[in-house]
Amino acid sequence: MARPTYRPPVRRLTLLYDAHCPLCVHLRHWLTRQPQLVPIDPVPAASQEARRRFPDLDHGTTLKEITVIGDGGQIYRGTAAWIVCLWALAEHRPKAHWLSTSAGAPFARVSVLAASKYRELTAAPCEGACEAPAPSH
């Protein structure tokens, strides 16, 4: 019989957000004002701080898709990242549990798609500036 894989509990989350996106910055501020059951540390995606904390991460991808990293090395992207952020909040954990069910998953996907489309329509064009710079050695 296969033994279950041990998954360390999540005690802290790091939210990598696009600091040049008004929606991302707004949501970062909203998240940090909420009562948290699990602390969320916002760090600008592809920043020096993000590279220092997570040297093996594809930082270019973190500028294109919300990424949340648990203190045990768990990586959440896209819809899962939004759900884990809600899960970390005292008032929104029940909603996060529901969004992770088969009944709630379509709502979570649509919400993330809507936010992505809004971001696409309102954020300044990158014109190459949003790409993660190559790490300097």
Side-chain angles (χ1 to χ4, degrees):
M1 177 187 280
R3 299 178 81 173
T5 304
Y6 173 73
R7 294 182 189 161
V10 177
R11 292 191 175 98
R12 185 167 216 94
L13 295 168
T14 301
L15 165 67
L16 299 178
Y17 70 97
D18 183 350
H20 301 288
C21 164
L23 176 62
C24 303
V25 171
H26 172 78
L27 291 171
R28 170 221 184 262
H29 288 296
W30 179 82
L31 283 168
T32 58
R33 288 191 313 264
Q34 302 303 305
Q36 299 175 1
L37 297 171
V38 175
I40 300 173
D41 300 322
V43 173
S47 65
Q48 287 183 344
E49 178 64 13
R51 290 178 184 285
R52 183 188 67 74
R53 289 186 187 197
F54 311 107
D56 297 329
L57 194 63
D58 176 355
H59 292 277
T61 300
T62 67
L63 284 168
K64 296 174 185 158
E65 184 175 37
I66 181 175
T67 304
V68 176
I69 302 170
D71 59 340
Q74 309 89 336
I75 298 176
Y76 307 92
R77 296 186 193 276
T79 304
W82 286 109
I83 292 172
V84 78
C85 283
L86 290 175
W87 171 84
L89 304 177
E91 296 175 18
H92 298 281
R93 186 168 277 185
K95 178 64 75 181
H97 285 291
W98 180 77
L99 289 170
S100 67
T101 68
S102 58
F107 294 97
R109 275 192 300 278
V110 167
S111 296
V112 170
L113 288 173
S116 178
K117 189 63 171 177
Y118 179 84
R119 178 179 180 224
E120 180 183 312
L121 294 171
T122 61
C126 285
E127 297 172 356
C130 293
E131 292 300 314
S136 58
H137 295 300

